[in-house]
């Protein structure tokens, strides 16, 4: 529990410091240092007043052979992931497009305020995960540890799984085994080396539940802070609310539930509301104004909702990185197609499918991607059976409602997702949150040694193939240049990346006129020394360099020499 509380408090102080400093345009190392010094003195005063209590001793290691084996698997995977974080540049699509792009803009302007970007979600999306990234960049001046929050979040979520399992009545060995399974899930391993935010979101939700199941008011307060952090991390937190309500109603006494609701409201006001208030001030809407946000809600029809649920569920049949024989994948695809047809489920109804993205197909997923992978074999062999099995057992009164509440997490989240978001190829990664709430049930079915041994083998294989076949971080990525690494996900952009790095001075003002889906982050430079000027919203006066994005033809006034890149349809302009 100490580790879970520590994670919540550390993230809370980083987020609170960022939001406070933003109000005075003070997002700088000195500002962070001053705020944290004040918080340290406050913590010291509280500690002295409480009689200088010692921190709890770490629990005795669990030396069960299979738990130890799984811990070694996770430790080796963690070491490799940390090596990838430090030895290779960030390069996944969403990070280049908006996660790191917004961090770089905040770093330059010293606040979280709106800036005139071509990509509106940089302004409107909740920002808590990126505030954790900003803290590392502010002190280091570069992105060498930008993915560290996600990596730590995967471990924090595993710790919360352990605590929840213990509070459901399972032993230390069984609970530790369940917690160690979380970092081995495919999407968890793949996202651990990125600056995505799904793991950070899941860590806060799981921590809130773990703390809420405690008995002290301090834990209730911390649970409220965790809920506030979660609400300020992703809009998709809303999809977790039904599961959280079910868990609260079915597992907590009424008085504790009321206290938790009050703590949650306070946590949201302190740590989750900043982006929503800023959006109201700037646009009049708590969710802001962005095409990507307004396009999310589906046109609710019965067939569309059923289709989204079925597609999301089927994508859990995930073999990312395993490269199975074509005969196996064709049989899986054929069975899925026959099932959809038998049940009259439309595969791509316009009412509930994201426009302009990849359509649903019946092929089982085999590509290891931080965007489109799910949980690997443990998703359909363990997580789904756990949820369905406990729901059936609860209906037959063979388990208590506490277990039934956690079994509801996955189906409730999938239904909420179908009601709130048009299906696309990338929605299954959102399920990392309900997966963390389902894993605490695993000790009930992993009682036999042979079964736990089989799970260790599957978990080790899943983690290995995910990391070794990661499309964004292939083996040898640490030997590539920064431009080569970032171009892995957009190969046509490599000449542009190399030209900007070679020709545009590291401290130059660079005008950018970009398409809404174009990347923005790379143009700040490896040490974020350049200053971007967003065209045409801002003036081009005094600029010597301008970068035009995909198929952008309009040039600023003046005489410019152009270097064109036909493969990507980008253009680099230099004032002649």
């Amino acid at each position: 529990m100490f580790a879970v509380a520590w994670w919540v408090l550390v993230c809370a102080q980083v987020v609170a410091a960022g939001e406070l400093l933003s109000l005075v345009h003070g997002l700088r190392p000195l500002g962070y240092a001053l705020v944290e010094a004040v918080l340290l003195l406050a913590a010291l005063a509280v500690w002295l007043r409480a009689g200088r209590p010692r921190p709890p001793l770490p629990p005795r290691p669990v030396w069960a052979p299979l738990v130890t084996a799984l811990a070694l698997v996770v430790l080796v995977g963690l070491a490799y992931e940390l090596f990838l974080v430090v030895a290779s540049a960030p390069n996944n699509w969403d990070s280049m497009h908006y996660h790191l792009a917004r961090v770089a803009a905040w770093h330059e302007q010293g606040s979280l305020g709106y800036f005139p970007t071509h990509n509106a979600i940089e302004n409107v999306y909740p920002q808590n995960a990126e505030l954790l990234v900003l803290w590392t960049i502010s002190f280091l001046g570069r992105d060498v540890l930008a993915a560290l929050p996600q990596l730590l979040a995967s471990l924090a979520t595993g710790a919360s799984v352990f605590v929840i399992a213990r509070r459901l009545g399972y032993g230390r060995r069984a609970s530790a085994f369940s917690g160690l399974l979380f970092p081995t899930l495919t999407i968890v391993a793949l996202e651990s080396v990125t600056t995505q935010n799904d793991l950070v979101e899941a860590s806060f939700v799981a921590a809130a539940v773990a703390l809420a199941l405690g008995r002290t008011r301090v834990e209730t307060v911390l649970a409220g802070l965790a809920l506030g952090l979660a609400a300020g991390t992703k809009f998709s937190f809303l999809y977790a609310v039904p599961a959280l309500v079910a868990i609260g109603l079915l597992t907590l006494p009424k008085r504790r539930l009321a206290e938790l609701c009050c703590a949650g409201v306070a946590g949201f006001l302190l740590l989750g509301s900043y982006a929503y208030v800023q959006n109201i001030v700037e646009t009049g809407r708590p969710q802001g104004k962005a095409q990507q946000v307004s396009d999310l809600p589906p046109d609710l029809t019965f067939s569309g909702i059923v289709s989204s649920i079925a597609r999301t569920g089927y994508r859990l049949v995930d073999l990312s990185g395993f490269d199975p024989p074509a005969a196996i994948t064709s049989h899986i695809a054929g069975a899925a197609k026959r099932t959809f047809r038998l049940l009259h489920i439309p595969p791509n109804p316009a009412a509930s499918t994201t426009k302009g993205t990849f359509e649903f197909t019946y092929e089982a997923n085999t590509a290891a991607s931080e965007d489109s992978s799910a949980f690997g074999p443990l998703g359909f062999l363990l997580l789904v059976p756990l949820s369905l099995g406990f729901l059936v057992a609860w209906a037959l009164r063979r388990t208590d409602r506490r277990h039934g509440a956690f079994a509801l997490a996955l189906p409730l989240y999938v239904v909420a997702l179908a009601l709130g978001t048009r299906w696309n190829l990338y929605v299954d990664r959102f399920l990392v949150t309900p997966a963390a709430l389902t894993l605490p049930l695993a000790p009930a079915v992993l009682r036999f040694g042979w079964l736990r041994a089989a799970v260790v083998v599957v978990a080790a294989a899943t983690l290995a193939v995910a990391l070794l076949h990661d499309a964004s971080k292939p083996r040898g990525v640490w030997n590539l240049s920064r431009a080569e690494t970032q171009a892995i996900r957009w190969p046509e952009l490599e000449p542009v990346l190399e030209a900007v790095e070679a020709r545009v001075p590291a401290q130059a003002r660079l005008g950018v006129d970009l398409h809404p889906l174009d990347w923005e982050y790379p143009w700040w430079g490896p040490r974020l020394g350049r200053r971007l000027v967003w065209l045409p919203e801002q003036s081009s006066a005094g600029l010597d360099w301008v970068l035009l994005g995909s198929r952008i033809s309009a040039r600023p006034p003046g005489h410019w020499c152009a270097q064109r890149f036909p493969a990507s349809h980008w253009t680099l302009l230099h004032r002649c």
Side-chain angles (χ1 to χ4, degrees):
M1 175 51 65
F2 180 77
V4 176
W6 173 86
W7 171 250
V8 172
L9 285 173
V10 167
C11 292
Q13 66 93 6
V14 171
V15 168
E19 293 175 348
L20 179 64
L21 292 171
S22 173
L23 299 177
V24 294
H25 291 262
L27 290 174
R28 297 287 184 266
L30 178 60
Y32 277 116
L34 291 174
V35 171
E36 288 167 10
V38 171
L39 292 174
L40 178 61
L41 291 175
L44 181 62
V46 172
W47 179 67
L48 291 173
R49 185 171 183 179
R52 297 186 293 181
R54 294 182 179 182
L57 295 174
R60 290 177 300 172
V62 179
W63 293 115
L66 291 176
V67 176
T68 303
L70 185 56
L72 289 175
V73 168
V74 172
L75 185 61
V76 171
L78 175 65
Y80 182 70
E81 290 164 0
L82 184 59
F83 172 70
L84 287 179
V85 167
V86 175
S88 62
N91 68 335
N92 68 295
W93 190 284
D94 283 357
S95 296
M96 301 296 98
H97 183 229
Y98 84 93
H99 288 298
L100 285 174
R102 68 201 307 225
V103 169
W106 299 337
H107 178 71
E108 192 278 328
Q109 68 182 14
S111 79
L112 307 177
Y114 272 38
F115 52 96
T117 175
H118 66 291
N119 182 13
I121 61 175
E122 293 182 52
N123 286 321
V124 306
Y125 275 4
Q127 74 279 39
N128 283 355
E130 287 85 359
L131 277 172
L132 303 180
V133 177
L134 177 62
W135 187 89
T136 70
I137 288 179
S138 292
F139 282 102
L140 298 176
R142 52 189 300 196
D143 54 27
V144 66
L145 291 179
L148 188 61
Q150 279 270 100
L151 184 59
L152 293 177
S154 70
L155 300 179
T157 308
S160 293
V161 171
F162 168 80
V163 172
I164 294 170
R166 290 286 287 145
R167 289 181 168 176
L168 287 176
Y170 297 109
R172 291 183 65 240
R173 292 180 180 179
S175 299
F177 192 89
S178 294
L180 288 168
L181 285 177
F182 184 79
T184 71
L185 300 176
T186 300
I187 190 62
V188 177
L190 294 172
E191 281 209 18
S192 293
V193 295
T194 73
T195 57
Q196 303 275 79
N197 54 16
D198 301 289
L199 301 184
V200 174
E201 166 76 12
S203 75
F204 295 146
V205 173
V209 174
L211 292 160
L213 293 176
R215 296 180 179 179
T216 67
R217 288 190 173 177
V218 171
E219 289 173 303
T220 301
V221 171
L222 291 173
L225 293 179
L227 289 173
L229 287 168
T233 299
K234 282 179 74 76
F235 286 143
S236 60
F237 168 74
L238 292 174
Y239 306 139
V241 170
L244 292 174
V245 170
I247 291 171
L249 292 175
L250 294 172
T251 65
L252 299 180
K254 292 182 179 179
R255 181 173 180 177
R256 185 164 180 81
L257 181 59
E259 292 175 346
L260 178 62
C261 290
C262 294
V265 171
F268 173 74
L269 293 176
L270 289 172
L271 301 171
S273 63
Y274 191 100
Y276 301 94
V277 172
Q278 180 169 263
N279 287 340
I280 291 173
V281 172
E282 295 287 348
T283 70
R285 302 178 182 178
Q287 75 277 24
K289 291 183 179 180
Q291 191 66 41
Q292 295 94 321
V293 175
S294 59
D295 287 345
L296 279 179
D299 299 324
L300 294 179
T301 64
F302 179 76
S303 62
I305 294 171
V306 171
S307 177
S308 291
I309 293 173
R311 287 179 287 178
T312 301
Y314 174 64
R315 291 283 299 178
L316 291 176
V317 181
D318 180 37
L319 298 171
S320 296
F322 280 92
D323 193 22
I328 294 178
T329 56
S330 63
H331 279 300
I332 294 174
K337 188 173 184 179
R338 289 190 295 271
T339 302
F340 272 65
R341 286 184 174 179
L342 178 65
L343 299 177
H344 302 286
I345 299 175
N348 287 291
S352 61
T353 303
T354 301
K355 301 172 184 176
T357 188
F358 298 102
E359 289 190 344
F360 170 79
T361 63
Y362 296 107
E363 285 79 13
N365 183 50
T366 59
S369 166
E370 72 282 344
D371 293 320
S372 57
S373 289
F375 305 119
L378 290 179
F380 60 88
L381 293 178
L382 180 62
L383 289 174
V384 172
L386 271 178
S387 179
L388 297 180
F390 268 97
L391 288 177
V392 171
W394 187 28
L396 297 175
R397 298 184 178 181
R398 295 184 178 180
T399 191
D400 60 32
R401 65 180 189 178
R402 284 161 57 89
H403 288 76
F406 284 92
L408 282 170
L410 185 58
L412 284 178
Y413 196 102
V414 171
V415 172
L417 188 62
L419 293 172
T421 296
R422 292 175 179 267
W423 185 90
N424 59 69
L425 194 63
Y426 314 121
V427 296
D428 275 75
R429 61 189 170 92
F430 297 165
L431 301 185
V432 70
T433 295
L437 300 179
T438 304
L439 270 178
L441 302 175
V445 299
L446 298 178
R447 292 174 292 180
F448 304 104
W450 65 268
L451 187 55
R452 290 195 299 273
V455 169
V456 169
V457 172
V458 173
T462 299
L463 180 60
V465 299
L467 294 176
L468 294 177
H469 298 282
D470 185 352
S472 294
K473 301 285 187 179
R475 284 168 288 179
V477 66
W478 48 86
N479 293 320
L480 302 179
S481 69
R482 185 178 180 87
E484 290 171 331
T485 300
Q486 291 181 335
I488 288 174
R489 302 303 283 175
W490 194 349
E492 296 82 3
L493 204 62
E494 184 173 347
V496 187
L497 293 164
E498 292 175 340
V500 171
E501 184 62 26
R503 299 187 61 195
V504 182
Q507 304 295 324
R509 295 172 68 241
L510 174 64
V512 290
D513 190 353
L514 306 176
H515 186 273
L517 295 180
D518 285 341
W519 288 2
E520 181 181 302
Y521 176 68
W523 319 125
W524 292 92
R527 293 188 175 273
L528 307 180
R530 298 191 190 100
R531 179 182 175 185
L532 297 193
V533 178
W534 288 275
L535 305 176
E537 288 80 5
Q538 295 179 308
S539 172
S540 62
L543 291 179
D544 291 323
W545 297 93
V546 171
L547 184 63
L548 304 180
S550 302
R551 302 182 186 278
I552 302 293
S553 58
R555 299 186 180 188
H559 186 59
W560 300 92
C561 298
Q563 181 180 358
R564 296 179 177 84
F565 305 92
S568 60
H569 303 284
W570 286 58
T571 305
L572 177 62
L573 302 178
H574 179 231
R575 193 178 294 275
C576 298

